[in-house]
Amino acid sequence: MSDRTERNEATSPTGARAIKPRAWAPVRAMTRILNADGSQRAPVPPGVDSGRSAVMDSALYVDGRRQPGDRHYAEALAAARRERGFVWIGLHEPELAEMTAIAATFGLHELAVEDAVKAQQRPKLERFGEVSFLVLRTARYCEHDELTENSEVVETGQVMLFIGPNFVISVRHGDACRLAPVRADLEAKHDLLAHGPWAVAYAVTDRVVDLYLEVADQLEDDLDVLEADVFDRQSSGRIQRIYQMKRELVEFKRAVVPLQRPLMTLTAQVSREIPQEVRRYFRDVQDHLSRTVEQVNSYDDLLNSILQARLAQVTVDQNNDMRKIAAWAAIAAVWTAIAGIYGMNFENMPELKMTYGYPVVLALMLAISLALYRWFRRNGWL
């Protein structure tokens, strides 16, 4: 947290410990604006550029239908409590100051706010009073013409959801999963949206898991190409490509596998704040996630097998090279041995006085070399 923004523990309407920024609280008290319905419009805190707000969309929903008009989130929250609806705020990579102002309005816990700003969390589900904090890691497949040792195959990001009785706040980091299409699709399903904030949580989670399935299917194509290249004797099959693919798969696995525990909690009967109908939808998401986890685990095993096969190929190729070197060395040793013997220059050596001794010795060395060459070729050494 920033040094100039001192935190003060206060009890929020939801029962959680909320962030209460002291530095600009007097300013807020002096500049509050009363609307016609008596709700208070929260001001922009110091350090926040009002022209560069992280709020991408803010809407009030009553009985599953979006209410017309542009409202400030504080005004929308007051209307949601009054009309028994809920407000959905979409944020994209918010700054700490702006997130602190939103946390003060909605009564968000300071630890969850820090996690939402840093965006370096594992998938998890936490409870802070009446507010649930759901963290999802998003993934998107990166198109590439050819898989190399530097190819980016999977792009990841994060989506975090604050789910309260009358609101849901989505915080998106990265572009792996855009939420505007999710909002548009959900607004067309009035019956589902009428179940409240947890319907939004389901729709976002379902979209994230659907992207997992798409990434897994496209990763399978890359693995097929990689496997074919490794066992193609005309291809180099560089091991760096396999290692890069394994790194990308590990990154994808870190997004998929840890989400199983939060979904198990959401589908359990102990989650009484989740409507029964929405819990059924979450079970469908859990089934899709289980399928993706099985695919990822099988891909991991397949990559390990491909890597071991390539290492075995490298070892075999090295052994073949050593056998070729040894075979040529054996052939050369014949010439070296005979030439070395007759190069000792002793007077009483046999065959020194033969007229045709020189060509006979050359023919003998050539014959032995040809015989060794044929023998090595027959046994696969050359």
Side-chain angles (χ1 to χ4, degrees), residues 5-53:
T5 306
E6 299 180 6
R7 293 195 295 263
N8 196 19
E9 294 185 6
T11 303
S12 67
T14 60
R17 191 177 61 182
I19 294 180
K20 192 173 183 180
R22 293 179 182 173
W24 49 276
V27 179
R28 181 178 61 186
M30 295 178 63
T31 58
R32 63 182 56 173
I33 302 174
L34 294 179
N35 298 304
D37 58 359
S39 62
Q40 298 176 359
R41 183 182 296 273
V44 178
V48 178
D49 186 357
S50 59
R52 300 177 60 184
S53 175

Side-chain angles (χ1 to χ4, degrees), residues 327-342 361-373 376:
W328 286 113
I331 294 173
V334 175
W335 295 68
T336 304
I338 296 176
I341 292 173
Y342 280 92
V361 172
L362 288 179
L364 178 62
M365 289 190 294
L366 183 60
I368 296 175
S369 299
L370 290 175
L372 288 174
Y373 179 79
F376 286 134

Side-chain angles (χ1 to χ4, degrees), residues 165-289:
N166 303 103
F167 65 88
V168 56
I169 303 173
S170 58
V171 183
R172 176 171 63 89
H173 290 266
D175 294 326
C177 178
R178 297 182 179 271
L179 298 183
V182 177
R183 186 187 289 262
D185 293 342
L186 190 58
E187 287 177 353
K189 303 175 181 178
H190 304 298
D191 293 339
L192 178 60
L193 195 57
H195 289 290
W198 282 105
V200 176
Y202 152 73
V204 174
T205 307
D206 183 58
R207 176 57 179 164
V208 170
V209 174
D210 284 346
L211 287 177
Y212 289 167
L213 290 171
E214 294 178 9
V215 173
D217 291 339
Q218 291 171 309
L219 282 177
E220 185 175 7
D221 297 335
D222 281 339
L223 288 175
D224 291 340
V225 173
L226 194 62
E227 185 179 16
D229 287 344
V230 167
F231 291 100
D232 184 6
R233 303 304 299 173
Q234 304 299 326
S235 176
S236 59
R238 297 184 62 183
I239 200 170
Q240 290 87 344
R241 299 168 57 201
I242 306 175
Y243 182 70
Q244 175 65 16
M245 189 66 183
K246 189 167 182 62
R247 289 184 59 185
E248 295 294 314
L249 185 62
V250 167
E251 182 178 1
F252 181 51
K253 191 174 183 179
R254 288 173 179 170
V256 175
V257 175
L259 186 57
Q260 295 179 100
R261 185 178 294 274
L263 279 182
M264 290 178 60
T265 303
L266 292 175
T267 56
Q269 296 294 332
V270 295
S271 304
R272 300 186 181 277
E273 72 278 2
I274 305 177
Q276 183 67 28
E277 185 66 24
V278 177
R279 191 179 293 118
R280 293 192 184 98
Y281 284 102
F282 272 116
R283 290 195 187 99
D284 181 68
V285 177
Q286 187 179 24
D287 292 339
H288 293 170
L289 181 65

Side-chain angles (χ1 to χ4, degrees), residues 126-167:
E126 294 182 342
R127 292 277 298 174
F128 298 96
E130 293 183 352
V131 179
S132 298
F133 180 54
L134 177 63
V135 179
L136 307 170
R137 290 196 66 179
T138 58
R140 180 176 64 178
Y141 181 80
C142 299
E143 297 291 342
H144 48 272
D145 296 332
E146 182 182 3
L147 182 64
T148 66
E149 55 267 24
N150 298 317
S151 297
E152 183 181 8
V153 181
V154 179
E155 177 189 356
T156 58
Q158 283 200 328
V159 170
M160 306 178 184
L161 299 175
F162 294 91
I163 308 157
N166 303 103
F167 65 88

Side-chain angles (χ1 to χ4, degrees), residues 311-323:
L311 291 175
Q313 285 182 349
V314 171
T315 302
V316 170
D317 292 341
Q318 290 177 345
N319 290 337
N320 290 335
D321 293 340
M322 291 302 297
R323 289 198 301 178

